[in-house]
Amino acid sequence: MRLKFKDKTEYRHYWENLVELERDAEKEFHLNEIISLSGKEREKKGRAILGLKASFLGTIIGDFLVYRFYRDDMPDHQINVGDVVLVSRKHPLKDGVEGTVFEKGKYFLTVVFSQKLPPAKKWRIDLFVNDITFKRMLGSLEFFEKGYSLYDEKIILGHKKPEVCEENLEFVNQNLNQFQKEAVKRAVCSPQLFLIHGPPGTGKTTTLIEAIIQHIKKGQKILATADSNTAVDNIVEGLLKYDVNVVRIGHPARLKKELLSVSLDAKVETHPKYTEIKNIEKKINKLKSLQENYLKPIPQRRRGLSYDEILKYAKAGKKVRGHKLETLKKMAEWIRLQKDIQKLVNQKKNLEEQIIEDILEKADVVCATNSGAGSDFLFEDIFDVIFIDEASQATEPSCLIPLIKGKKAILAGDHKQLPPTVLHPEAKGLSFTMFERFIKIYPDSAYMLKIQYRMNDLIKEFPSEEFYNGELVSAEEVKNRKLSDITGKTGKDPITDDTPIVFIDTHGRFLEKQKKGSRSKYNPEEAKIVQLIINKLKELGVPPEDIGVITPYKDHEEYLKKLVPDVEVKTVDGFQGREKEVIIISLVRSNPDEEIGFLDDLRRLNVALTRAKRKLIVIGDANTLSSNETYRKFLQFVREKNGFFPVEEILEDESI
């Protein structure tokens, strides 16, 4: 992992190599799977849906075409709102059309396209890759090397310590705690760089929003980004509570429906000058309608003549190359109309650019994904301050896209939780983020939030000691949270009573399994224990939507979903940033060799342990897990808190 770089060229080459490797790996993954697996096999993996019917729903903001694809027996799949998909009749790589998922229902997907689909009876949808982000990463690295970065290149390279200071402020959000206020004070005063370290449940985004508002009060132009659309939407929602003029850049299909009104597309349509665009469009459509009365000069019809030659010969009344004069005149009139149409199209484009420039100029905050910050809309825009949320989940080249557009940067994240996912084994350097690199070389420019508002105090205790130097403090209103607060009663066993944290030891009874051709793991008997626990919780009165199941393995996730369809089941990665009243963690690994595989990424453990508000139930094989020192310490901690139970006590009379 590189902390510092000799110069801009070394910086570019280092990250460019990793980005190219990852780009190839992602493309390769999807392409290989589409080539090597049948449609049905890919459908089983949840990355394709076959046999879909389609209906055209119309257009949405920006003239995007919307189609709904549906099946009465829709299979389980991994395709979600915002995903880029290939929609095809038979062969994704031959006749596939790229689209973006706009809505997801139990029996349908709504997909947005920039072009009309050809007619077909049945359709196939495949998850695919969007190459734009990779191109923008590479573009930002090139810009940085050429010296086009507004941000201080010496800080990026690791050669210059940023200035540190703090100032007294009048806070807009009166509910901020002392640590959040301190972070905002330092962030506002620091002229170049500040890092807000926000452990789970400490209100990192709330703090970031206050810092944004403080900069707005100073009259500064702000760009706020994050790697995911969800994180960006969270910023937008937070800012709208304070009546901030926000513009959200991004494809309408990837935005929350509730936020469409602040999207750039929607603001363009409500701009006073937009009526001029509609009038131009009417003129264009009228001319196109007139064109239908004349002959379009397609290559076969032109017989080698250029547009200008057709106009010249038609005006002179001369026949040429076997054309009838009438044919020449009809083509000439089509060309004249096309030139008028093109003039109007250019007028419309110029007017749209003026409107967009006006909207962005008047905005208090422009919000986009890191990749979206590299879009054409913001190509020449300059900002006073760049805010990047969830910076510990974004690769350095991803953060560089917005960073080079401003002179000051405030990054928020938690490098003790999961880093960005990297596919290529030789590109693991991408998981060492800009946030983590800066926090290591510029520790004086970072500040940690310490009061958490999510977990019962006992659930908080182990992660605090293990990952945050014991510095996390529970807010008074959450420290004594109990399961009985939401059920009105308490059960008589460890699953249903008010014990905040429970470990159920399967002590080698249920060995892990592996599907043929899969690198993932699953544990069917352990899954049945999860099912039993959920049934007990539901009998007690815990609503299914208040229960979450976390597992490190995709195959185990898929197995669990079939057993407990009414409860949310996700991998650890899928639950980062989320919370539930009750969390059940199924660790899967149980083998005679006591191997725990990628469970030894302790950031994964940290995320899993910090999602529960009132009750955390962990299921696993203590012998296998104890091969790792941190898991061994965790098991000892649970024993000391009287939450460790052999699986037999939980099973009792249950037949498993």
Side-chain angles (χ1 to χ4, degrees):
M1 305 301 180
R2 296 290 298 275
L3 286 175
K4 298 181 180 182
F5 297 87
K6 183 177 68 178
D7 54 31
K8 290 181 290 185
T9 300
E10 184 184 62
Y11 181 90
R12 176 190 175 178
H13 288 163
Y14 175 80
W15 291 113
E16 189 175 67
N17 178 52
L18 298 180
V19 169
E20 290 285 14
L21 287 171
E22 187 63 9
R23 183 193 209 178
D24 291 344
E26 199 163 323
K27 277 186 178 179
E28 200 72 23
F29 172 79
H30 285 285
L31 290 172
N32 279 346
E33 198 171 86
I34 289 171
I35 292 164
S36 62
L37 297 182
S38 67
K40 285 186 178 178
E41 286 173 322
R42 206 157 192 256
E43 186 176 69
K44 276 185 180 178
K45 289 184 175 289
R47 291 192 275 272
I49 309 170
L50 312 179
L52 291 158
K53 293 180 182 178
S55 59
F56 177 63
L57 299 184
T59 60
I60 59 168
I61 296 163
D63 294 330
F64 292 103
L65 304 167
V66 185
Y67 289 80
R68 176 162 288 181
F69 298 86
Y70 53 93
R71 247 177 74 174
D72 292 337
D73 57 340
M74 185 74 93
D76 288 337
H77 59 84
Q78 301 169 21
I79 302 171
N80 293 304
V81 172
D83 281 342
V84 176
V85 292
L86 274 181
V87 177
S88 60
R89 288 172 287 186
K90 284 186 178 179
H91 307 291
L93 302 181
K94 290 181 182 176
D95 62 3
V97 179
E98 198 172 289
T100 302
V101 180
F102 184 53
E103 283 181 306
K104 179 179 179 179
K106 194 172 182 181
Y107 303 109
F108 72 87
L109 284 175
T110 303
V111 183
V112 178
F113 300 90
S114 56
Q115 66 186 82
K116 195 172 181 180
L117 294 180
K121 289 183 179 178
K122 292 287 175 74
W123 293 92
R124 167 178 171 172
I125 294 181
D126 284 83
L127 267 179
F128 198 50
V129 179
N130 189 346
D131 204 37
I132 292 172
T133 298
F134 289 111
K135 287 178 179 174
R136 287 175 179 168
M137 286 182 191
L138 295 169
S140 68
L141 288 165
E142 183 182 351
F143 266 54
F144 177 72
E145 187 192 21
K146 288 181 176 177
Y148 299 149
S149 172
L150 292 171
Y151 195 76
D152 192 325
E153 63 187 51
K154 289 181 180 177
I155 293 176
I156 293 175
L157 296 173
H159 299 166
K160 179 181 175 182
K161 190 177 178 182
E163 295 173 43
V164 178
C165 62
E166 63 175 274
E167 64 180 67
N168 290 323
L169 298 170
E170 190 177 320
F171 295 98
V172 176
N173 183 350
Q174 296 300 315
N175 297 318
L176 295 180
N177 64 49
Q178 73 216 59
F179 300 105
Q180 292 169 329
K181 286 177 180 177
E182 185 65 24
V184 173
K185 282 192 224 174
R186 297 187 188 198
V188 172
C189 183
S190 300
Q192 297 135 333
L193 176 70
F194 193 71
L195 307 163
I196 300 171
H197 180 196
T202 54
K204 168 178 58 63
T205 304
T206 300
T207 308
L208 196 71
I209 285 164
E210 177 71 29
I212 291 172
I213 292 168
Q214 292 294 338
H215 283 85
I216 292 170
K217 285 165 69 177
K218 287 174 172 274
Q220 293 178 311
K221 190 174 181 184
I222 292 160
L223 173 64
T225 72
D227 212 43
S228 73
N229 279 291
T230 302
V232 178
D233 286 346
N234 288 340
I235 296 171
V236 175
E237 285 178 322
L239 290 170
L240 290 177
K241 291 175 185 173
Y242 297 95
D243 203 27
V244 173
N245 180 6
V246 182
V247 177
R248 172 72 158 95
I249 306 288
H251 195 300
R254 293 175 196 155
L255 277 57
K256 276 188 181 176
K257 277 185 168 182
E258 304 79 38
L259 302 179
L260 278 174
S261 62
V262 298
S263 69
L264 180 59
D265 297 274
K267 283 184 177 273
V268 166
E269 291 188 0
T270 55
H271 193 277
K273 284 189 176 181
Y274 189 69
T275 50
E276 294 178 44
I277 286 179
K278 296 307 285 182
N279 290 333
I280 292 171
E281 286 176 346
K282 283 179 185 175
K283 290 177 184 176
I284 290 170
N285 290 333
K286 191 174 180 181
L287 292 177
K288 282 183 176 179
S289 181
L290 282 173
Q291 265 188 324
E292 291 175 8
N293 299 318
Y294 301 100
L295 291 175
K296 185 176 181 179
I298 57 176
Q300 302 96 304
R301 200 171 275 151
R302 293 205 318 256
R303 295 178 188 172
L305 294 174
S306 69
Y307 277 18
D308 287 341
E309 285 172 329
I310 291 170
L311 289 169
K312 184 178 78 174
Y313 290 125
K315 187 177 181 180
K318 286 184 180 180
K319 294 180 184 179
V320 64
R321 296 188 188 173
H323 280 300
K324 291 180 181 177
L325 190 56
E326 185 184 353
T327 302
L328 280 172
K329 286 183 175 180
K330 282 186 176 181
M331 286 196 292
E333 191 57 35
W334 189 96
I335 292 166
R336 275 191 284 271
L337 287 167
Q338 186 60 28
K339 288 190 172 186
D340 290 340
I341 288 169
Q342 193 55 51
K343 282 180 188 174
L344 289 169
V345 167
N346 291 339
Q347 276 181 39
K348 179 187 168 187
K349 188 180 177 185
N350 290 335
L351 192 53
E352 282 174 341
E353 286 174 358
Q354 288 173 31
I355 290 171
I356 288 169
E357 190 177 332
D358 185 52
I359 290 166
L360 295 176
E361 189 62 38
K362 289 176 179 174
D364 293 324
V365 185
V366 176
C367 293
T369 59
N370 293 344
S371 176
S375 67
D376 292 342
F377 299 124
L378 300 177
F379 187 72
E380 293 181 349
D381 279 59
I382 295 169
F383 295 90
D384 297 308
V385 192
I386 309 297
F387 286 82
I388 307 176
D389 199 5
E390 305 292 9
S392 54
Q393 292 176 49
T395 65
E396 175 138 349
S398 172
C399 288
L400 190 69
I401 300 170
L403 190 77
I404 60 176
K405 292 181 172 295
K407 296 176 182 177
K408 173 177 176 176
I410 296 170
L411 279 61
D414 180 14
H415 55 296
K416 302 294 184 180
Q417 295 187 65
L418 283 174
T421 302
V422 177
L423 292 176
H424 200 290
E426 293 174 31
K428 293 301 178 188
L430 286 171
S431 65
F432 186 58
T433 63
M434 178 182 280
F435 183 88
E436 187 170 5
R437 187 167 72 88
F438 282 176
I439 219 165
K440 285 185 186 299
I441 56 177
Y442 306 128
D444 292 343
S445 294
Y447 187 80
M448 189 175 94
L449 307 177
K450 295 178 183 177
I451 299 178
Q452 68 86 18
Y453 296 88
R454 176 182 297 159
M455 298 163 271
N456 172 288
D457 198 51
L458 200 62
I459 297 173
K460 173 237 41 172
E461 194 172 324
F462 181 80
S464 175
E465 291 296 328
E466 191 63 30
F467 303 108
Y468 303 104
N469 301 316
E471 294 184 75
L472 287 190
V473 178
S474 297
E476 283 299 319
E477 61 264 37
V478 305
K479 67 182 342 181
N480 295 314
R481 279 181 162 174
K482 306 184 296 291
L483 189 61
S484 59
D485 293 339
I486 57 171
T487 60
K489 55 187 173 181
T490 182
K492 295 179 180 178
D493 60 41
I495 300 303
T496 54
D497 68 13
D498 280 335
T499 308
I501 183 164
V502 173
F503 183 86
I504 299 167
D505 182 16
T506 61
H507 50 80
R509 274 188 63 176
F510 312 135
L511 296 180
E512 68 197 50
K513 294 187 178 182
Q514 193 166 2
K515 293 177 184 176
K516 189 177 179 181
S518 174
R519 290 187 295 177
S520 188
K521 310 279 183 187
Y522 73 113
N523 193 321
E525 298 304 316
E526 189 170 293
K528 289 175 186 173
I529 300 297
V530 173
Q531 184 183 31
L532 169 65
I533 289 168
I534 288 170
N535 289 339
K536 285 191 173 195
L537 289 167
K538 288 196 290 188
E539 285 169 17
L540 185 72
V542 182
E545 60 269 23
D546 285 345
I547 305 169
V549 181
I550 299 178
T551 179
Y553 290 96
K554 198 76 189 169
D555 283 357
H556 195 58
E557 177 197 14
E558 289 173 11
Y559 192 91
L560 279 164
K561 280 180 174 176
K562 292 170 186 170
L563 288 183
V564 287
D566 58 341
V567 169
E568 188 172 10
V569 181
K570 286 191 181 295
T571 59
V572 184
D573 306 61
F575 244 108
Q576 180 146 314
R578 306 279 311 287
E579 60 183 32
K580 290 279 186 181
E581 302 291 347
V582 182
I583 287 287
I584 302 163
I585 304 173
S586 181
L587 291 171
V588 178
R589 299 310 298 262
S590 179
N591 56 75
D593 298 326
E594 297 180 359
E595 290 180 357
I596 65 167
F598 81 152
L599 262 64
D600 65 4
D601 182 344
L602 299 176
R603 290 174 293 191
R604 189 164 264 104
L605 176 65
N606 183 28
V607 171
L609 294 180
T610 53
R611 302 303 102 197
K613 293 182 180 180
R614 301 174 190 276
K615 194 170 187 80
L616 174 65
I617 302 168
V618 186
I619 310 160
D621 177 4
N623 285 339
T624 298
L625 296 169
S626 293
S627 61
N628 178 282
E629 184 188 353
T630 302
Y631 280 90
R632 193 161 58 247
K633 282 157 67 175
F634 170 67
L635 295 171
Q636 184 57 35
F637 167 80
V638 180
R639 280 192 181 96
E640 288 170 3
K641 303 301 179 184
N642 300 315
F644 190 98
F645 299 92
V647 71
E648 289 79 9
E649 279 191 37
I650 305 304
L651 293 177
E652 293 176 345
D653 297 327
E654 305 288 343
S655 55
I656 290 187

